[in-house]
């Protein structure tokens, strides 16, 4: 479909009529909070760190070969996250959930983001498909702990059992948390509106949710600063910043 302006009347009536909404978010939603994206244009350069490409650090193999470098990279990102705040896009999604659930509708926010900014904004029904950078897990006893303090003294940090701890994120080749991807899949099957916001739509299985929604008759909306592989397949593709488009959509919907 063609890119549409945000004030497309069909989009507004669909948004008003929708009773089950699934929103899939990606790094673009946090870009306006100052969190670097992995790919695409955010106005913030992708974080290249000591000559390593972020995509090469996000694997179990990288952690096995360079535990100190990978742990420090995640710890720096964790520390940066603690200095950031949700932006207008996060807040608009809280409002969308509030409106829908107040009339008995169903809302699920499936996020690929690991920064917990949706929680910080106040979103309630959130599934973290790729885990969280704020939770670290022992590689042996699997004990998990939320980490909201200053940077660790050693990298990787150690569990009390002596084993190294790793960030509670999902790396390439690892399975997504079963409950999270199952809930997102069920919501994709049942939703009448699927919204893809600030994601490059290339990382699976999250990128496959839109096809499940489409196959089950949902209308589809993408909000992204750039064209993506789904832009020509959705009902409405709105090009722009989520921190601007989402509030506009709600204000006029
Ligand atoms: C704005 C904006 C603004 C900017 N407003 N927009 C099928 C086909 C092909 C491959 C596969 C397949 N199924 C599985 C795979 C393999 C692989 C995969 O998908 N590879 C592809 C890259 C080809 N998938 C996996 O390995 C997954 N695991 C899996 O499938 O396991 C199977 C299994 C089953 C059972 C047992 C064992 C295994 C796991 C994927 C994990 C992804 N992890 C990462 C890292 C997390 C940790 C970390 O943070 O470091 O997750 S990768 C990285 O990409 C991160 C993100 O969540 C994810 C998606 O990125 P996202 O959010 O879309 O961000 P960007 O940067 O790509 O895009 C930003 C977008 O925003 C851009 O479009 C901008 O234009 C836009 N933007 N500013 C609006 N202001
Ligand atoms: Zn342990």
């Amino acid at each position: 479909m063609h890119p549409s302006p945000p004030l497309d009347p069909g989009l507004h009536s669909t948004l008003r009529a929708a009773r089950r909404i699934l929103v899939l978010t990606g790094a673009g939603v946090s870009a306006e909070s100052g969190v670097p994206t992995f790919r695409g244009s955010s106005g913030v350069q992708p974080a290249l760190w000591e000559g390593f490409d972020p995509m090469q650090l996000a694997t179990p193999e990288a952690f096995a070969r360079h535990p100190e470098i990978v742990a420090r990279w995640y710890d720096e990102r964790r520390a940066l996250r603690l200095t950031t705040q949700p932006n207008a896009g996060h807040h608009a999604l809280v409002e969308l959930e509030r409106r829908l659930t107040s009339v008995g509708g169903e809302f699920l926010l499936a996020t690929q983001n690991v920064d917990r900014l949706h929680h910080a904004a106040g979103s309630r029904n959130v599934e973290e498909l790729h885990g969280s950078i704020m939770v670290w897990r022992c590689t042996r006893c699997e004990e998990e702990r939320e980490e909201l303090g200053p940077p660790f003294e050693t990298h990787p940090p150690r569990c009390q059992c002596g084993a190294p701890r790793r960030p509670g994120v999902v790396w390439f080749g690892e399975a997504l948390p079963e409950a999270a991807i199952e809930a997102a899949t069920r919501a994709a099957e049942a939703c009448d509106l699927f919204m893809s916001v600030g994601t490059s739509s290339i990382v699976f299985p999250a990128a496959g949710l839109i096809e499940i929604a489409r196959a089950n008759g949902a209308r589809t909306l993408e909000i992204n600063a750039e064209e993506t592989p789904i832009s020509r397949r959705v009902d409405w593709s709105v090009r722009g910043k989520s921190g601007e488009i989402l509030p506009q959509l709600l204000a006029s919907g």
Side-chain angles (χ1 to χ4, degrees):
M1 297 288 287
H2 302 290
S4 316
L7 298 179
D8 181 86
L11 171 54
H12 282 290
S13 56
T14 298
L15 190 63
R16 267 195 306 273
R19 283 298 166 265
R20 288 176 173 170
I21 298 181
L22 170 59
V23 182
L24 173 67
T25 61
V29 170
S30 294
E32 290 157 83
S33 294
V35 180
T37 59
F38 295 89
R39 317 165 186 86
S41 139
S42 64
V44 185
Q45 281 299 307
L48 279 170
W49 195 84
E50 287 186 10
F52 286 84
D53 181 326
M55 298 322 294
Q56 291 178 348
L57 292 168
T59 65
E61 293 77 17
F63 185 63
R65 289 174 59 183
H66 308 287
E68 183 188 344
I69 291 172
V70 173
R72 277 180 55 204
W73 185 60
Y74 279 96
D75 199 24
E76 285 196 358
R77 289 174 50 197
R78 183 182 69 85
L80 170 71
R81 154 60 185 90
L82 288 169
T83 68
T84 61
Q85 299 294 330
N87 64 56
H90 295 104
H91 293 303
L93 291 172
V94 176
E95 174 62 11
L96 182 60
E97 177 173 24
R98 192 197 62 73
R99 282 192 200 175
L100 191 61
T101 53
S102 72
V103 295
E106 288 175 23
F107 179 92
L108 179 66
L109 177 45
T111 187
Q112 298 167 86
N113 297 345
V114 297
D115 55 31
R116 295 243 154 126
L117 282 172
H118 287 302
H119 296 84
S123 284
R124 287 163 182 265
N125 201 18
V126 182
E127 294 291 352
E128 292 177 309
L129 299 176
H130 294 164
S132 169
I133 201 172
M134 313 308 291
V135 172
W136 287 59
R137 182 174 76 236
C138 175
T139 54
R140 182 159 60 205
C141 72
E142 305 212 327
E143 190 214 42
E144 285 191 346
R145 227 184 302 154
E146 192 173 34
E147 297 288 355
L148 303 175
F152 300 123
E153 280 166 17
T154 55
H155 294 97
R158 297 260 156 197
C159 177
Q160 51 200 5
C161 81
R165 297 164 71 218
R166 57 162 284 179
V169 300
V170 181
W171 284 323
F172 281 113
E174 294 185 325
L176 275 60
E178 208 173 293
I181 188 64
E182 269 179 29
T185 303
R186 279 197 306 275
E189 287 163 355
C191 68
D192 35 41
L193 176 62
F194 178 96
M195 296 170 54
S196 170
V197 188
T199 172
S200 54
S201 292
I202 62 170
V203 176
F204 286 83
L209 291 169
I210 189 167
E211 292 308 329
I212 299 173
R214 269 165 51 95
N216 285 277
R219 308 302 300 275
T220 51
L221 162 66
E222 175 185 58
I223 298 172
N224 198 299
E226 291 183 350
E227 184 164 337
T228 76
I230 65 165
S231 299
R232 289 166 193 276
R233 298 171 58 76
V234 293
D235 294 307
W236 298 278
S237 180
V238 181
R239 202 79 72 245
K241 293 183 174 177
S242 50
E244 294 169 8
I245 305 292
L246 282 169
Q248 273 177 36
L249 201 61
L250 264 83
S252 48

